[in-house]
């Protein structure tokens, strides 16, 4: 979509404008709220970013991808406790097979793709690193190919192959 094209070109103000128009037409479009959250946080508009991803989480009934998006946005906004809560919830859904490896890997991929937009590259992984051993197994064991693409089969959870 056009907003994602703008995001990939690091034109977040243009993406925000498009996404806001989309949401005027369809205020229940979860993916637009997720993308809006990404663009807001990558332009330093943290309060608006959190509001957008919280809306996505609520509308999606706490779906895995929305939780991962919220985890990334909270981490990028410097809200470590909230980021960990979202990611732990996503981990629990993943372990119950209520969320996919793609849901888990998606925020890491966004982090890698927008490294130039973030003050601290690898922000989500840095936020999650150093937590106790019981937290965030899918992220702790994630292997990726230098930020190019993250695949579901590259996700490994402790105790699973």
């Amino acid at each position: 979509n056009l907003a994602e094209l703008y995001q990939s070109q690091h034109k977040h103000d243009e993406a925000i404008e498009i996404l806001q128009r989309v949401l005027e037409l369809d205020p229940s479009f979860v993916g637009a709220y997720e993308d809006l959250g990404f663009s807001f946080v990558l332009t330093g508009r943290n309060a608006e970013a959190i509001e957008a991803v919280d809306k996505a989480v609520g509308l999606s009934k706490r779906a895995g991808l929305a939780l991962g998006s919220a985890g990334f946005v909270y981490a990028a906004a410097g809200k470590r406790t909230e980021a960990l809560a979202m990611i732990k919830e996503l981990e629990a859904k993943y372990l119950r097979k209520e969320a996919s490896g793609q849901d888990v890997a998606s925020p890491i991929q966004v982090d890698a793709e927008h490294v130039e937009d973030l003050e601290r590259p690898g922000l989500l992984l840095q936020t999650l690193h150093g937590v106790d051993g019981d937290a965030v197994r899918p992220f702790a064991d994630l292997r990726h190919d230098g930020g190019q693409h993250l695949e579901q089969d590259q996700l490994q959870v402790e105790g699973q192959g």
Side-chain angles (χ1 to χ4, degrees):
N1 72 38
L2 185 56
E4 288 178 350
L5 176 65
Y6 281 135
Q7 287 176 322
S8 72
Q9 297 172 345
H10 310 285
K11 296 179 179 178
H12 298 290
D13 291 328
E14 290 89 341
I16 289 168
E17 185 178 322
I18 295 291
L19 291 162
Q20 288 174 326
R21 280 195 238 150
V22 166
L23 289 167
E24 287 173 10
L25 297 172
D26 184 359
S28 64
F29 187 1
V30 172
Y33 284 108
E34 293 168 348
D35 287 344
L36 188 59
F38 290 142
S39 282
F40 275 143
V41 82
L42 293 171
T43 56
R45 296 165 67 178
N46 295 343
E48 292 166 289
I50 289 168
E51 183 179 330
V53 293
D54 283 349
K55 185 81 170 177
V57 168
L59 285 171
S60 72
K61 298 183 172 123
R62 306 192 79 75
L65 189 56
L67 290 169
S69 297
F72 169 81
V73 167
Y74 276 105
K79 304 274 187 188
R80 183 176 190 275
T81 301
E82 294 88 343
L84 288 173
M86 291 291 178
I87 299 306
K88 284 182 179 185
E89 185 175 344
L90 174 55
E91 177 195 31
K93 284 183 169 286
Y94 175 78
L95 294 174
R96 291 190 310 263
K97 300 189 187 307
E98 296 171 5
S100 70
Q102 172 98 23
D103 294 340
V104 174
S106 182
I108 304 286
Q109 182 177 0
V110 169
D111 200 12
E113 289 173 354
H114 293 281
V115 71
E116 297 152 10
D117 298 323
L118 293 167
E119 288 181 24
R120 294 183 346 231
L123 186 57
L124 183 59
L125 288 176
Q126 290 174 18
T127 298
L128 301 175
H129 183 70
V131 296
D132 65 44
D134 294 327
V136 205
R137 292 273 180 241
F139 289 103
D141 295 336
L142 186 64
R143 305 291 183 260
H144 66 90
D145 63 343
Q148 296 301 312
H149 296 286
L150 297 166
E151 302 295 337
Q152 184 170 350
D153 65 346
Q154 291 175 299
L155 179 70
Q156 297 196 0
V157 176
E158 187 172 287
Q160 296 180 0

